[in-house]
Amino acid sequence: MELVITEEQEALVEAVRQWLDATSDLEGARSANPGQSRIRREGLAAASAMGLLSLLRAGEGGTHADLTLVVEEVGRAATPLPIGQSALVCRVLDDVGIAADTAAGVAEGKIVAVPAQPEPGAERVAAVEQADGTLSLSGRVPLVVGGLAAELFLVPAVAADGSHFVALVPATADGLSRTVRTALDLTRDFASVTLDGVRVPSGSWARTAEGTVEALADALALHHAADAVGAADRLLEMTVQYVRERRQFGRAVGSFQAVKHHCATMALDVECARITVRAASQVLDSADRAARRAQVSSAASFAGEACSRVAGTALQLHGGMGFTWEHDLHLLLRRVKTGELLGGSPRHHRARLLDLVA
């Protein structure tokens, strides 16, 4: 397995980082109204112009490994833009063969669409096929990242007989309601989505294999881990710069051996987390279900805890400065800590790994 990124991928990362550095506004996260989304159309339009939202579509030549690199940069910039989620929505719609026009609109940044995927272990949305060709959906997805701004939700559902479906549901559909969720993370918006007998017309839903739904859940889990890696990498950079500049007892605090050891441990955690996530991203492009499940759970369990340790150490090494509202550190820490629990907690993924190898 090749873990060194190619020159083309390096160019992709550089372009995305330059764009996000120039357009991301962490200050807005401090002043944003909790009931108002920070996702902006112009941001999605720019992502579309760079080909990021259509990266996984047929003919584009992109891979999950490419998208994971992009999501790392999304986490590093702490942007609310649902770039990875939108790309996954396009991929699933193409794979199941529904809503081709909508998929094109999402890829062009004209429509905000995100997956409404219940967390592992949560009750799944129930589906009932109706005689008129519609699909009735009932259930609740407690936490949807980007759900406040979404115009469409990609909802996986299961029937009483075990059949699996994916449905594209407008946020304005009769019977659908969403509620703003207050989370530790201030850089993204969150909502819960409740479906009470929502009727999805023919052409907007499809019966699919269980593997399609599981692959979507795995991809989302890995993207949350990649997002955390990007944020942790930025925290490491901020911390190294701070301990070089902060002076105490007539010398930079970074010259003290104990501080050096902490920074070295942070760097080790970031690099190990990055390697596990990148390895798992390559398996997402394969048809090996067992390898995908094992690699994703390995990456999610390790990266979640490793990035959380990095965030905690960054806070400690910043001292009193790290506790101030005006400093960016707490925004990234909040994002990492929240991401640790999205797509399944490290404990969930370790239990899944145990089941796979037992």
Side-chain angles (χ1 to χ4, degrees):
M1 182 178 292
E2 181 59 62
L3 297 180
V4 178
I5 64 176
T6 65
E7 291 183 1
E8 291 80 4
Q9 289 173 326
E10 288 179 354
L12 173 65
V13 169
E14 182 179 0
V16 173
R17 181 173 296 189
Q18 289 179 352
W19 164 57
L20 289 174
D21 284 347
T23 58
S24 297
D25 178 22
L26 280 179
E27 183 60 36
R30 297 184 182 86
S31 58
N33 185 330
Q36 183 177 11
S37 174
R38 294 180 56 238
I39 296 174
R40 298 290 177 260
R41 295 282 184 182
E42 55 268 27
L44 288 175
S48 172
M50 297 178 69
L52 305 181
L53 304 183
S54 59
L55 199 57
L56 297 181
R57 302 196 77 188
E60 294 296 325
T63 65
H64 279 286
D66 298 327
L67 185 59
T68 298
L69 295 174
V70 172
V71 174
E72 274 190 42
E73 294 305 312
V74 168
R76 187 179 188 279
T79 176
L81 294 174
I83 294 174
Q85 295 149 281
S86 296
L88 287 175
V89 168
C90 290
R91 175 64 173 267
V92 173
L93 293 179
D94 289 344
D95 286 348
V96 300
I98 61 172
D101 290 343
T102 299
V106 174
E108 293 169 4
K110 297 177 180 178
I111 302 172
V112 183
V114 299
Q117 173 79 42
E119 292 294 308
E123 186 175 354
R124 293 177 291 184
V125 174
V128 178
E129 290 187 74
Q130 303 296 322
D132 60 0
T134 62
L135 186 71
S136 177
L137 300 178
S138 297
R140 181 173 181 268
V141 184
L143 195 67
V144 178
V145 182
L148 196 57
E151 298 164 289
L152 292 169
F153 295 102
L154 184 69
V155 183
V158 62
D161 63 359
S163 300
H164 289 265
F165 302 85
V166 289
L168 195 62
V169 186
T172 55
D174 291 338
L176 185 147
S177 61
R178 58 181 163 188
T179 305
V180 178
R181 295 295 303 272
T182 301
L184 180 66
D185 182 6
L186 302 179
T187 63
R188 294 175 285 190
D189 66 73
F190 300 86
S192 63
V193 176
T194 302
L195 304 107
D196 185 10
V198 173
R199 293 293 188 96
V200 183
S202 176
S204 293
W205 63 271
R207 184 189 295 266
T208 187
E210 181 181 3
T212 300
V213 176
E214 185 184 72
L216 173 62
D218 282 343
L220 287 170
L222 188 65
H223 285 180
H224 291 310
D227 187 285
V229 169
D233 186 52
R234 184 171 176 183
L235 283 168
L236 173 61
E237 290 182 9
M238 291 167 57
T239 303
V240 170
Q241 180 180 355
Y242 179 77
V243 299
R244 282 174 173 171
E245 298 173 351
R246 177 75 168 90
R247 300 186 66 81
Q248 190 62 270
F249 307 112
R251 56 194 289 195
V253 297
S255 66
F256 295 109
Q257 189 176 50
V259 175
K260 290 180 181 179
H261 286 175
H262 280 307
C263 289
T265 300
M266 291 172 68
L268 182 63
D269 273 336
V270 169
E271 288 306 315
C272 288
R274 177 177 285 124
I275 288 172
T276 60
V277 167
R278 289 184 179 177
S281 71
Q282 294 183 22
V283 179
L284 283 180
D285 289 308
S286 75
D288 190 336
R289 176 173 179 260
R292 186 198 70 226
R293 297 175 73 197
Q295 289 279 13
V296 167
S297 284
S298 177
S301 61
F302 181 83
E305 291 187 339
C307 293
S308 186
R309 286 195 299 269
V310 169
T313 305
L315 180 64
Q316 294 297 320
L317 293 184
H318 273 77
M321 178 64 70
F323 285 87
T324 60
W325 178 257
E326 291 77 16
H327 202 283
D328 289 342
L329 186 149
H330 75 94
L331 296 173
L332 292 161
L333 182 148
R334 288 165 178 263
R335 188 172 179 118
V336 169
K337 289 288 190 179
T338 301
E340 184 180 5
L341 302 179
L342 295 175
S345 66
R347 181 176 182 177
H348 161 80
H349 285 288
R350 283 195 296 270
R352 188 192 191 199
L353 275 173
L354 181 61
D355 290 340
L356 290 172
V357 301

